[in-house]
Amino acid sequence: MNYERIKEKLDILADAAKYDVSCSSSGSTRTNKNKGLGNSSSSGICHTYTEDGRCVSLLKILLTNHCIFNCAYCVTRKSNDIKRAAFKVQEVVDLTIAFYRRNYIEGLFLSSGIFKNPDYTMERLIGVAKKLRLEENFNGYIHLKSIPGASDELMREAGLYADRLSVNIEIPTEKGLKLLAPDKDRKDFIMPMNKVKNEIIQYKNDKRKFKNTPLYAPAGQSTQMIIGAGGETDAEIMYSSAYFYKQFNLKRVYYSGYIPISYDERLPAIGTEVPLLRENRLYQTDWLLRFYGFDIRELLTPEHPNLDSDIDPKLSWALRHLDLFPLDINKADKFMLARIPGVGLKSVNKIIQARRFRRLNWDHLKALGIASNRAKYFILCNSGEYESKDRTAAQIKGLILQNSTSKFRKTFDQQLNLFNSIN
Amino acid sequence: MTTILMYDGSFNGFLSAVFIKYEYKMQQVRIRKAAFTSKNLFDSIEEVITNDKKAERVWLKLKQKCSSKGLSFLYKAYLSEIIGGEDLMLKFIEIALQSEKCIASDYSSPVVLKLSQIAKKIHREKHRMEAFVRFKQTKDNIYFATISPDYNVLPLICSHFEKRYADQKWIIYDEKRNYGLYYNGNHVIIVKIDFKKDALSSQNKALFYTRDESDFQVLWKSYFKMTNIVSRKNTKLHLQHVPKRYWKYLTEKELY
Ligand code: SF4
């Protein structure tokens, strides 16, 4: 192995891959077969964190950053004057194994620029995964990119070796896509996504009948959308997201604040702040949809097309529905408990377990770790006092903001200051 | 007068002490590790001899009364090595034995809450060690790592590494507690190593580790650097996830 050369390639191809924010290695349980190397645990492990605070769980690289396309928002685009490189299949295999054996990573996330054509590219990605599984007996996590426009046969093969497959939609609306990636067609994203979805359904059916049906993409599919590049509203982003979750049974949608990388006048200028706070609000909304039983229509509407920046989407929803509160913490069902601001799902479970033993009061709730500075305006419990007899939504919001030192406020202090100076 | 039952520091030793407390119907009892027991004029100290059979009987009794969650609370509290943790464990056992249903989810009880908080800390440390162990390949082809976790979590991480690295020999060594796990390709054994002075210092690295080893470390460091997005820098979040006390074991955080 020629380290100098590998290092040079790794630098280029890791740098080009970093804008894909999905790092998850979760959702797959692959056991170690025949005393081979590795396994995947369903929760995944973050082995380290970058200085921007993101989890590093996989070796995330491009196979090559040569590309025949010219998507405006992408560093790898054809017209960008940058150093290009390409890994050989065996080089990626060796690097993955060496990193894995040292417990640096959970596995590999391999993406690629499109060279020659989609199938040619997809074949090479599959080549890496196949070698890892068959020659190295590697049972760690493999995430492969589905190349837009790749054929059905290749997508079928990819799922036999990969744990997860993903196509990045990147631009949430069709009109945005037309503007920023004119040579791309939404159909080309949908095609491989659809094939993989159908194969997963097929696999689940077969599995019921035949025990040793080979695994097919056990960690499912995901996608990513870039935020703040195409001028979409939060509603446009989240309705699009909800559609993809539903239509293609996606496991995750990632939201990635656009990082200005070119002087293209269709895009925010270089130096524009990355919209981290907005990205965070979108993740919170996504969370509410997937785990808290919210419907997108409850959170974003034509009258309310953007999320509040100063408060989180659950609090925002609760303030618009004060008629449903206060809730009695000792009686309310799981579904409603999860809708109380300041009460997370873990707390919901603890409340339900603990109230079997006795009626809970404020002290109990505090001991359970409930953020009472928010929750207190929305609940009744086994203590006399109740906080917000006749407060309006605006008053409650004011009180909460005044007393809150939420992590967003601290983390995004700079951004908030920016907002304040604008208002 | 309080009786102090002094045990050898093993989990079975603790359970043996519990057995004795119940056998002799002792009222005011504290259980302490021999190493931490200091004499107090007013206490009487009794030495407990670890007895695996007695320990087993206590454990089986607890199993009837408690879910596996409750049992794991006890074991984790033991591994936490928190001073006075035994008092909490004993209290938990007393309540559990009297109670009809398993008390492990009674979060409104202070004892259960406290134990669950300790268990959570141990769990987090276990998870961190599964993440932060960094193996280095030695010339005799053993993947070697040292750690010094806040709590004694080696027993908890053993099966994770055994399942994952089934085809390579490895050692994970707890420097703080001076013992380690050695997987020899078949099964795990507990080892103690007498390190010569400076054995693991940077000058001596070349003696122990393969040539490839330093090359891969360089590649990894370089990858770690490249995958960072400077315009998203967030040091606070970074430190929250990777507290400084762990840096010394993380290849990617080494300076040079
Ligand atoms: S096809 Fe992919 S790699 Fe190529 S320019 Fe578009 S987004 Fe970038």
Side-chain angles (χ1 to χ4, degrees), chain A residues 3 11 32 35 38-39 47-52 54 60 100-103 106 279 353 358 411, chain B residues 105-106 108 130-131 133-135 163-165 167-168 185 212-213 222-223 227 229 232 234 238 252:
Chain A
Y3 290 97
D11 284 355
N32 188 316
K35 266 201 155 195
N39 58 3
H47 282 274
T48 189
Y49 292 80
T50 52
E51 282 170 19
D52 57 36
R54 283 174 312 134
K60 179 163 62 181
Y100 194 86
R101 286 200 183 284
R102 286 166 176 74
N103 204 39
E106 290 292 287
E279 183 187 294
Q353 293 186 347
R358 61 186 67 79
T411 315
Chain B
S105 49
D106 180 7
S108 46
E130 287 171 358
V133 157
R134 295 287 177 269
F135 288 119
K163 280 183 203 142
R164 174 158 294 195
Y165 297 108
D167 76 336
Q168 73 191 41
D212 281 4
E213 182 50 45
S222 162
Y223 172 73
T227 199
I229 300 178
R232 295 179 62 111
N234 188 341
H238 173 67
E252 65 273 18

Side-chain angles (χ1 to χ4, degrees), chain A residues 32 62-63 165 212 230 288 306 389:
Chain A
N32 188 316
L62 300 189
L63 188 60
L165 292 159
N212 40 15
L288 293 179
N306 285 304
K389 293 233 160 54

Side-chain angles (χ1 to χ4, degrees), chain B residues 26-40:
Chain B
M26 296 174 172
Q27 288 307 317
Q28 284 190 322
V29 170
R30 298 206 154 161
I31 301 177
R32 288 284 181 275
K33 289 191 187 71
F36 289 113
T37 308
S38 56
K39 284 234 189 260
N40 177 324

Side-chain angles (χ1 to χ4, degrees), chain A residues 304 308 310-312 314-325 341 373-374 377-378 386-402:
Chain A
H304 184 72
D308 291 326
D310 53 355
I311 53 173
D312 67 80
K314 189 157 97 175
L315 178 57
S316 169
W317 172 85
L319 290 174
R320 279 180 274 129
H321 294 87
L322 282 181
D323 52 314
L324 299 172
F325 298 99
N373 65 325
R374 318 169 139 239
Y377 303 103
F378 302 94
Y386 166 57
E387 273 288 344
S388 81
K389 293 233 160 54
D390 327 291
R391 289 201 176 97
T392 64
Q395 284 168 334
I396 296 176
K397 178 171 162 178
L399 283 168
I400 289 177
L401 282 181
Q402 209 178 355

Side-chain angles (χ1 to χ4, degrees), chain A residues 67-71 73-74 76-78 112-114 170 184:
Chain A
C67 191
I68 54 172
F69 285 110
N70 203 25
C71 310
Y73 46 81
C74 175
T76 300
R77 70 188 181 281
K78 188 172 62 186
S112 184
I114 299 174
E170 306 289 25
K184 270 189 176 164

Side-chain angles (χ1 to χ4, degrees), chain B:
Chain B
M1 196 170 70
T2 307
T3 310
I4 294 186
L5 296 175
M6 204 169 73
Y7 72 109
D8 60 3
S10 69
F11 192 56
N12 274 356
F14 169 79
L15 293 174
S16 306
V18 174
F19 187 92
I20 286 169
K21 177 205 174 305
Y22 278 94
E23 192 178 29
Y24 295 103
K25 302 201 171 59
M26 296 174 172
Q27 288 307 317
Q28 284 190 322
V29 170
R30 298 206 154 161
I31 301 177
R32 288 284 181 275
K33 289 191 187 71
F36 289 113
T37 308
S38 56
K39 284 234 189 260
N40 177 324
L41 271 182
F42 306 102
D43 297 333
S44 75
I45 295 182
E46 281 192 39
E47 202 171 325
V48 175
I49 295 164
T50 300
N51 180 321
D52 293 348
K53 286 227 173 69
K54 287 179 180 172
E56 170 100 22
R57 275 174 62 188
V58 174
W59 196 242
L60 285 177
K61 182 78 199 166
L62 283 168
K63 255 190 181 160
Q64 292 167 9
K65 287 284 186 178
C66 266
S67 62
S68 58
K69 184 161 91 182
L71 298 177
S72 94
F73 279 173
L74 283 177
Y75 187 52
K76 285 179 181 160
Y78 161 74
L79 293 178
S80 78
E81 301 167 335
I82 286 171
I83 294 180
E86 290 93 345
D87 295 342
L88 268 176
M89 294 159 74
L90 191 58
K91 195 97 211 140
F92 181 88
I93 292 173
E94 280 168 6
I95 307 173
L97 292 181
Q98 284 164 15
S99 167
E100 281 304 310
K101 52 184 170 179
C102 170
I103 59 164
S105 49
D106 180 7
Y107 292 105
S108 46
S109 139
V111 176
V112 177
L113 188 66
K114 186 85 199 140
L115 276 181
S116 77
Q117 284 160 351
I118 293 173
K120 200 170 153 192
K121 281 189 193 157
I122 310 296
H123 187 75
R124 192 195 293 152
E125 187 74 351
K126 164 188 186 279
H127 215 72
R128 276 189 174 140
M129 287 305 127
E130 287 171 358
F132 293 162
V133 157
R134 295 287 177 269
F135 288 119
K136 293 174 178 163
Q137 192 185 16
T138 65
K139 282 188 176 151
D140 31 13
N141 205 19
I142 295 173
Y143 285 82
F144 180 76
T146 52
I147 57 175
S148 57
D150 292 350
Y151 312 108
N152 182 17
V153 293
L154 270 187
L156 297 177
I157 64 176
C158 181
S159 85
H160 168 80
F161 285 98
E162 205 177 349
K163 280 183 203 142
R164 174 158 294 195
Y165 297 108
D167 76 336
Q168 73 191 41
K169 291 182 192 163
W170 51 262
I171 294 175
I172 304 173
Y173 204 80
D174 183 337
E175 289 183 310
K176 213 183 204 166
R177 295 165 189 84
N178 198 24
Y179 80 106
L181 305 173
Y182 170 43
Y183 175 76
N184 59 12
N186 270 315
H187 56 271
V188 174
I189 44 184
I190 290 174
V191 290
K192 271 190 189 299
I193 306 176
D194 281 325
F195 291 106
K196 286 204 195 79
K197 214 170 154 266
D198 294 336
L200 299 173
S201 72
S202 46
Q203 296 96 302
N204 283 326
K205 267 182 187 162
L207 287 175
F208 290 102
Y209 298 123
T210 59
R211 244 217 58 153
D212 281 4
E213 182 50 45
S214 59
D215 288 329
F216 281 120
Q217 287 178 25
V218 172
L219 289 177
W220 172 242
K221 278 182 214 172
S222 162
Y223 172 73
F224 179 72
K225 211 170 88 208
M226 296 318 291
T227 199
N228 179 43
I229 300 178
V230 179
S231 50
R232 295 179 62 111
K233 189 176 162 91
N234 188 341
T235 311
K236 213 170 145 172
L237 196 59
H238 173 67
L239 288 177
Q240 187 185 320
H241 287 306
V242 196
K244 277 199 175 142
R245 64 181 183 282
Y246 298 101
W247 287 16
K248 56 180 185 254
Y249 299 112
L250 296 176
T251 312
E252 65 273 18
K253 298 303 281 181
E254 272 169 24
L255 304 164
Y256 68 85

